[in-house]
PDB file of all heavy atoms in Angstrom:
ATOM      1  N   TYR C  22      11.584  -3.884  -1.469  1.00 96.00           N
ATOM      2  CA  TYR C  22      11.734  -3.403  -0.114  1.00 96.00           C
ATOM      3  C   TYR C  22      10.753  -4.135   0.862  1.00 96.00           C
ATOM      4  O   TYR C  22       9.814  -4.808   0.380  1.00 96.00           O
ATOM      5  CB  TYR C  22      11.493  -1.889  -0.043  1.00 96.00           C
ATOM      6  CG  TYR C  22      12.624  -1.155  -0.753  1.00 96.00           C
ATOM      7  CD1 TYR C  22      12.405  -0.530  -1.987  1.00 96.00           C
ATOM      8  CD2 TYR C  22      13.877  -1.106  -0.207  1.00 96.00           C
ATOM      9  CE1 TYR C  22      13.402   0.130  -2.644  1.00 96.00           C
ATOM     10  CE2 TYR C  22      14.917  -0.429  -0.845  1.00 96.00           C
ATOM     11  CZ  TYR C  22      14.689   0.186  -2.080  1.00 96.00           C
ATOM     12  OH  TYR C  22      15.694   0.808  -2.722  1.00 96.00           O
ATOM     13  N   GLU C  24       8.368  -3.029   2.445  1.00 96.00           N
ATOM     14  CA  GLU C  24       6.995  -2.605   2.162  1.00 96.00           C
ATOM     15  C   GLU C  24       6.286  -3.470   1.145  1.00 96.00           C
ATOM     16  O   GLU C  24       5.067  -3.498   1.111  1.00 96.00           O
ATOM     17  CB  GLU C  24       6.957  -1.172   1.659  1.00 96.00           C
ATOM     18  CG  GLU C  24       7.596  -1.010   0.288  1.00 96.00           C
ATOM     19  CD  GLU C  24       7.721   0.422  -0.229  1.00 96.00           C
ATOM     20  OE1 GLU C  24       8.709   1.098   0.143  1.00 96.00           O
ATOM     21  OE2 GLU C  24       6.877   0.864  -0.992  1.00 96.00           O
ATOM     22  N   GLU C  42       2.969  -1.190 -13.116  1.00 97.00           N
ATOM     23  CA  GLU C  42       2.559   0.156 -13.458  1.00 97.00           C
ATOM     24  C   GLU C  42       3.749   1.106 -13.469  1.00 97.00           C
ATOM     25  O   GLU C  42       3.791   2.024 -14.310  1.00 97.00           O
ATOM     26  CB  GLU C  42       1.496   0.661 -12.474  1.00 97.00           C
ATOM     27  CG  GLU C  42       1.133   2.090 -12.731  1.00 97.00           C
ATOM     28  CD  GLU C  42      -0.289   2.428 -12.535  1.00 97.00           C
ATOM     29  OE1 GLU C  42      -0.954   1.778 -11.703  1.00 97.00           O
ATOM     30  OE2 GLU C  42      -0.796   3.344 -13.200  1.00 97.00           O
ATOM     31  N   ARG C  43       4.712   0.910 -12.559  1.00 97.00           N
ATOM     32  CA  ARG C  43       5.893   1.777 -12.577  1.00 97.00           C
ATOM     33  C   ARG C  43       6.607   1.639 -13.949  1.00 97.00           C
ATOM     34  O   ARG C  43       7.005   2.619 -14.526  1.00 97.00           O
ATOM     35  CB  ARG C  43       6.885   1.340 -11.461  1.00 97.00           C
ATOM     36  CG  ARG C  43       6.410   1.656 -10.052  1.00 97.00           C
ATOM     37  CD  ARG C  43       7.447   1.279  -9.038  1.00 97.00           C
ATOM     38  NE  ARG C  43       6.835   1.020  -7.724  1.00 97.00           N
ATOM     39  CZ  ARG C  43       7.461   0.451  -6.687  1.00 97.00           C
ATOM     40  NH1 ARG C  43       8.706   0.093  -6.819  1.00 97.00           N
ATOM     41  NH2 ARG C  43       6.827   0.309  -5.561  1.00 97.00           N
ATOM     42  N   GLU C  47       7.230   4.536 -16.827  1.00 95.00           N
ATOM     43  CA  GLU C  47       8.487   4.848 -17.414  1.00 95.00           C
ATOM     44  C   GLU C  47       8.514   4.643 -18.933  1.00 95.00           C
ATOM     45  O   GLU C  47       9.172   5.395 -19.660  1.00 95.00           O
ATOM     46  CB  GLU C  47       9.634   4.092 -16.745  1.00 95.00           C
ATOM     47  CG  GLU C  47       9.778   4.365 -15.284  1.00 95.00           C
ATOM     48  CD  GLU C  47      10.066   5.826 -14.939  1.00 95.00           C
ATOM     49  OE1 GLU C  47      10.567   6.552 -15.825  1.00 95.00           O
ATOM     50  OE2 GLU C  47       9.786   6.227 -13.812  1.00 95.00           O
ATOM     51  N   GLN C  57       1.859  13.545 -15.418  1.00 72.00           N
ATOM     52  CA  GLN C  57       1.346  14.916 -15.202  1.00 72.00           C
ATOM     53  C   GLN C  57       0.951  15.519 -16.551  1.00 72.00           C
ATOM     54  O   GLN C  57      -0.058  16.207 -16.682  1.00 72.00           O
ATOM     55  CB  GLN C  57       2.377  15.760 -14.500  1.00 72.00           C
ATOM     56  CG  GLN C  57       1.839  17.001 -13.805  1.00 72.00           C
ATOM     57  CD  GLN C  57       0.677  16.686 -12.909  1.00 72.00           C
ATOM     58  OE1 GLN C  57       0.789  15.947 -11.945  1.00 72.00           O
ATOM     59  NE2 GLN C  57      -0.508  17.243 -13.151  1.00 72.00           N
ATOM     60  N   ASP C  82      14.954  -7.661  -1.001  1.00 93.00           N
ATOM     61  CA  ASP C  82      16.253  -7.250  -1.566  1.00 93.00           C
ATOM     62  C   ASP C  82      16.465  -7.652  -3.022  1.00 93.00           C
ATOM     63  O   ASP C  82      17.485  -7.238  -3.631  1.00 93.00           O
ATOM     64  CB  ASP C  82      17.444  -7.806  -0.732  1.00 93.00           C
ATOM     65  CG  ASP C  82      17.502  -7.241   0.680  1.00 93.00           C
ATOM     66  OD1 ASP C  82      17.177  -6.055   0.846  1.00 93.00           O
ATOM     67  OD2 ASP C  82      17.859  -7.973   1.587  1.00 93.00           O
TER      68      ASP C  82
ATOM     69  N   TYR D  22       5.140   7.660  -8.116  1.00 96.00           N
ATOM     70  CA  TYR D  22       4.240   7.021  -9.030  1.00 96.00           C
ATOM     71  C   TYR D  22       2.796   7.198  -8.594  1.00 96.00           C
ATOM     72  O   TYR D  22       2.527   7.570  -7.450  1.00 96.00           O
ATOM     73  CB  TYR D  22       4.576   5.547  -9.176  1.00 96.00           C
ATOM     74  CG  TYR D  22       5.924   5.351  -9.883  1.00 96.00           C
ATOM     75  CD1 TYR D  22       7.043   4.954  -9.169  1.00 96.00           C
ATOM     76  CD2 TYR D  22       6.052   5.627 -11.241  1.00 96.00           C
ATOM     77  CE1 TYR D  22       8.286   4.794  -9.802  1.00 96.00           C
ATOM     78  CE2 TYR D  22       7.275   5.467 -11.840  1.00 96.00           C
ATOM     79  CZ  TYR D  22       8.402   5.078 -11.126  1.00 96.00           C
ATOM     80  OH  TYR D  22       9.596   4.922 -11.733  1.00 96.00           O
ATOM     81  N   ILE D  23       1.892   6.833  -9.459  1.00 94.00           N
ATOM     82  CA  ILE D  23       0.469   6.984  -9.179  1.00 94.00           C
ATOM     83  C   ILE D  23       0.073   6.208  -7.895  1.00 94.00           C
ATOM     84  O   ILE D  23      -0.740   6.652  -7.125  1.00 94.00           O
ATOM     85  CB  ILE D  23      -0.406   6.570 -10.404  1.00 94.00           C
ATOM     86  CG1 ILE D  23      -1.875   6.817 -10.199  1.00 94.00           C
ATOM     87  CG2 ILE D  23      -0.185   5.102 -10.747  1.00 94.00           C
ATOM     88  CD1 ILE D  23      -2.292   8.199 -10.574  1.00 94.00           C
ATOM     89  N   GLU D  24       0.724   5.059  -7.671  1.00 96.00           N
ATOM     90  CA  GLU D  24       0.491   4.288  -6.470  1.00 96.00           C
ATOM     91  C   GLU D  24       0.724   5.049  -5.170  1.00 96.00           C
ATOM     92  O   GLU D  24       0.208   4.682  -4.116  1.00 96.00           O
ATOM     93  CB  GLU D  24       1.399   3.054  -6.445  1.00 96.00           C
ATOM     94  CG  GLU D  24       2.835   3.373  -6.235  1.00 96.00           C
ATOM     95  CD  GLU D  24       3.815   2.177  -6.375  1.00 96.00           C
ATOM     96  OE1 GLU D  24       4.148   1.824  -7.506  1.00 96.00           O
ATOM     97  OE2 GLU D  24       4.215   1.681  -5.355  1.00 96.00           O
ATOM     98  N   ARG D  43      12.846   3.065   2.537  1.00 97.00           N
ATOM     99  CA  ARG D  43      13.677   2.676   1.385  1.00 97.00           C
ATOM    100  C   ARG D  43      15.050   3.310   1.528  1.00 97.00           C
ATOM    101  O   ARG D  43      16.055   2.605   1.341  1.00 97.00           O
ATOM    102  CB  ARG D  43      13.043   3.172   0.071  1.00 97.00           C
ATOM    103  CG  ARG D  43      11.766   2.478  -0.331  1.00 97.00           C
ATOM    104  CD  ARG D  43      11.263   3.002  -1.685  1.00 97.00           C
ATOM    105  NE  ARG D  43       9.830   2.759  -1.804  1.00 97.00           N
ATOM    106  CZ  ARG D  43       9.065   3.265  -2.755  1.00 97.00           C
ATOM    107  NH1 ARG D  43       9.611   4.053  -3.704  1.00 97.00           N
ATOM    108  NH2 ARG D  43       7.774   3.031  -2.823  1.00 97.00           N
ATOM    109  N   GLU D  47      18.696   1.354   2.031  1.00 95.00           N
ATOM    110  CA  GLU D  47      19.891   1.561   1.204  1.00 95.00           C
ATOM    111  C   GLU D  47      21.065   2.094   1.997  1.00 95.00           C
ATOM    112  O   GLU D  47      22.196   1.772   1.713  1.00 95.00           O
ATOM    113  CB  GLU D  47      19.554   2.565   0.048  1.00 95.00           C
ATOM    114  CG  GLU D  47      18.498   2.060  -0.942  1.00 95.00           C
ATOM    115  CD  GLU D  47      18.878   0.721  -1.617  1.00 95.00           C
ATOM    116  OE1 GLU D  47      20.053   0.370  -1.661  1.00 95.00           O
ATOM    117  OE2 GLU D  47      17.928   0.052  -2.049  1.00 95.00           O
ATOM    118  N   GLN D  57      18.079  -9.002   4.018  1.00 72.00           N
ATOM    119  CA  GLN D  57      18.130 -10.479   4.105  1.00 72.00           C
ATOM    120  C   GLN D  57      19.272 -10.942   4.980  1.00 72.00           C
ATOM    121  O   GLN D  57      19.136 -11.838   5.751  1.00 72.00           O
ATOM    122  CB  GLN D  57      18.293 -11.063   2.681  1.00 72.00           C
ATOM    123  CG  GLN D  57      17.884 -12.495   2.576  1.00 72.00           C
ATOM    124  CD  GLN D  57      16.466 -12.782   3.082  1.00 72.00           C
ATOM    125  OE1 GLN D  57      15.522 -12.154   2.610  1.00 72.00           O
ATOM    126  NE2 GLN D  57      16.340 -13.664   4.086  1.00 72.00           N
ATOM    127  N   ASP D  82       5.076  12.185 -10.460  1.00 93.00           N
ATOM    128  CA  ASP D  82       6.245  12.390 -11.296  1.00 93.00           C
ATOM    129  C   ASP D  82       7.380  13.079 -10.639  1.00 93.00           C
ATOM    130  O   ASP D  82       8.480  13.149 -11.241  1.00 93.00           O
ATOM    131  CB  ASP D  82       5.894  13.145 -12.622  1.00 93.00           C
ATOM    132  CG  ASP D  82       4.933  12.364 -13.510  1.00 93.00           C
ATOM    133  OD1 ASP D  82       5.079  11.119 -13.541  1.00 93.00           O
ATOM    134  OD2 ASP D  82       4.098  12.970 -14.183  1.00 93.00           O
TER     135      ASP D  82
END
Side-chain angles (χ1 to χ4, degrees):
Chain C
Y22 292 107
E24 68 186 81
E42 175 144 29
R43 291 182 203 169
E47 297 302 338
Q57 200 55 58
D82 296 324
Chain D
Y22 292 107
I23 187 87
E24 68 187 81
R43 290 182 204 170
E47 296 302 339
Q57 199 55 57
D82 295 324

